[in-house]
Amino acid sequence: MTYDANRRLLLTPVDREGAERAVLLRRLDLGLRPEPYFDAFADRLADVTGAPYAMVNFIDENRQFFAGLHTPDGTRRGGELGATAAAGSAGPGAGRYMARDHGYCPHVVVRRKALVLEDVCDYPRFAGNPVVDEIGIRSYLGAPLLDDRTGLAFGTVCVVDTAPRAWGRAGLTTIKALAGELMEVVRGRAVGL
C-alpha cells in the first residue's frame, strides 16, 4: 500500500497476486512486447468508446505494460509513460510502460471490478494519482481481464481522456463486454498449459 506523505491518501492498492500474475503472464508470453493484435484491439476500444487513448494493459508485480496502445496521433513508442510525456515531447499514452503506482488499472486488477471515473478530480482517492498532474488524465474507464479458471486478473482494457467524460452505464457495459471478448483470445493462449 503506498501513500502520498503530504495527502495521506491511498494511491495504489496492495497487490498480493502480482508475483503469481507475472509467472502466468510469462507462461502465456503476454506483457513482454507490443503485439499487432493488441494494438488493433486498442484501436477498436478507442473507436467504439470515442476515447482518444486506449490500452490493453498487462500488470506484473513491478510495472504496467501496454501490449496494445492507441493514441490520437498514432504513435506507439516503446518508452516509459511519465516524465517524457509530461514534458510535452510524447503526449499522454505514448509510452508502453508505466509504474505500478501510476494510473487506475492497478485498482481494477486488485478489485477485479470495472472502474468508471468520469472526472478523476471528483474523487480525492484518485485525484492525487501522478497521472493527473504528470500526464493530464481527467477521466478513466477500465475493466479487468479475468481468468475464469483461477479468478486471477491478468490486466485491463481501458480508455482515458484528458477531459472529463460522461461514460455512463453504456460505457461500463461496453468496456466489460470488450474485456470479455479479449479474454477469449487470452484463453486461447492458455490451452495446453
Side-chain angles (χ1 to χ4, degrees):
M1 195 177 298
T2 47
Y3 291 89
D4 180 316
N6 298 321
R7 296 183 182 134
R8 306 282 302 157
L9 294 174
L10 175 68
L11 296 179
T12 306
V14 174
D15 183 3
R16 290 180 176 80
E17 297 172 341
E20 179 184 357
R21 182 181 313 105
V23 168
L24 187 54
L25 288 172
R26 299 309 174 260
R27 285 180 58 206
L28 296 174
D29 196 29
L30 291 169
L32 301 173
R33 69 191 149 286
E35 296 190 31
Y37 177 81
F38 293 134
D39 280 337
F41 198 88
D43 290 341
R44 185 164 157 237
L45 283 168
D47 186 52
V48 168
T49 63
Y53 302 95
M55 286 77 77
V56 173
N57 186 5
F58 295 109
I59 302 173
D60 65 22
E61 71 272 47
N62 300 311
R63 68 179 186 187
Q64 302 177 66
F65 178 72
F66 303 122
L69 179 63
H70 171 88
T71 63
D73 65 3
T75 59
R76 301 184 209 262
R77 298 188 182 111
E80 185 165 346
L81 183 60
T84 304
S89 64
R96 291 281 184 171
Y97 301 96
M98 192 160 63
R100 260 200 97 268
D101 63 348
H102 282 54
Y104 309 106
C105 291
H107 294 271
V108 172
V109 165
V110 170
R111 293 170 11 132
R112 291 187 185 96
K113 294 181 181 177
L115 179 62
V116 179
L117 299 170
E118 294 184 342
D119 186 343
V120 299
C121 294
D122 288 344
Y123 303 88
R125 178 179 187 180
F126 297 115
N129 195 286
V131 298
V132 176
D133 293 332
E134 291 180 20
I135 304 168
I137 301 302
R138 286 294 301 274
S139 62
Y140 173 90
L141 176 64
L145 296 169
L146 293 172
D147 180 12
D148 55 3
R149 296 172 301 131
T150 64
L152 192 67
F154 292 131
T156 68
V157 293
C158 69
V159 293
V160 299
D161 202 336
T162 56
R165 293 277 303 256
W167 303 108
R169 185 169 300 281
L172 179 62
T173 300
T174 298
I175 201 78
K176 288 167 70 175
L178 289 166
E181 182 181 318
L182 186 61
M183 271 310 296
E184 290 300 319
V185 172
V186 173
R187 279 186 204 99
R189 289 185 179 213
V191 173
L193 289 183

